[in-house]
């Protein structure tokens, strides 16, 4: 199983980024996918989750209405569209699948 994130970077407050996570080595469409993040000195937290079919998604209250998780099963890729970014969104973002496979993470920094 391999998960590879991309799309992180430096963005100003109020800006947008789209993260991608490409999966391989498992039946991608059969598994839910999640995005987590970990800020310096804080515990890793769940940001968003999407079902295998993409028909159901859930969000942390801190990002609801600003972030959107989606997936393209034909491309074995899950996305996290992040809008109206705030400095407190600064963290390393990880994708995860069942039972406990993680990507290497991608840094998102929101700063002026």
């Amino acid at each position: 199983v391999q998960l590879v994130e991309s799309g992180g970077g430096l963005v100003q407050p109020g800006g947008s980024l789209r993260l991608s996570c490409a999966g391989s080595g498992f039946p991608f469409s059969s598994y839910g996918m999640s995005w987590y993040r970990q800020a310096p000195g804080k515990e890793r937290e769940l940001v968003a989750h999407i079902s295998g079919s993409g028909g159901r998604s859930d969000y942390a209250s801190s990002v609801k209405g600003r972030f959107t998780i989606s997936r393209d099963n034909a491309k074995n890729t899950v996305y996290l569209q992040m809008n109206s970014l705030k400095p407190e969104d600064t963290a390393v973002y990880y994708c995860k699948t069942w039972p406990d496979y993680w990507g290497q993470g991608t840094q998102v920094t929101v700063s002026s």
Side-chain angles (χ1 to χ4, degrees), residues 3-9 19-21 35-38 44 91-96 101-108:
L3 299 170
V4 180
E5 301 99 335
S6 61
L19 306 182
S20 300
C21 172
W35 284 98
Y36 283 74
R37 67 186 181 185
Q38 187 166 21
R44 195 170 293 188
V92 179
Y93 284 72
Y94 301 88
C95 65
K96 174 188 179 292
Y101 294 104
W102 296 83
Q104 82 288 351
T106 186
Q107 176 70 47
V108 172

Side-chain angles (χ1 to χ4, degrees), residues 17-106:
L17 279 176
R18 188 177 81 154
L19 306 182
S20 300
C21 172
S24 61
F26 65 103
F28 186 83
S29 63
S30 296
Y31 291 94
M33 298 293 297
S34 302
W35 284 98
Y36 283 74
R37 67 186 181 185
Q38 187 166 21
K42 294 188 176 182
E43 293 188 356
R44 195 170 293 188
E45 64 172 349
L46 176 64
V47 175
H49 175 83
I50 189 167
S51 63
S53 68
R56 188 182 75 250
S57 57
D58 298 287
Y59 299 89
S61 57
S62 59
V63 307
K64 196 171 294 185
R66 299 187 298 121
F67 291 11
T68 302
I69 189 170
S70 62
R71 65 191 297 160
D72 184 340
N73 287 340
K75 296 182 178 179
N76 283 9
T77 301
V78 62
Y79 305 97
L80 186 67
Q81 177 67 42
M82 306 185 294
N83 299 329
S84 302
L85 282 161
K86 304 175 181 180
E88 51 264 43
D89 295 317
T90 295
V92 179
Y93 284 72
Y94 301 88
C95 65
K96 174 188 179 292
T97 192
W98 187 87
D100 196 32
Y101 294 104
W102 296 83
Q104 82 288 351
T106 186

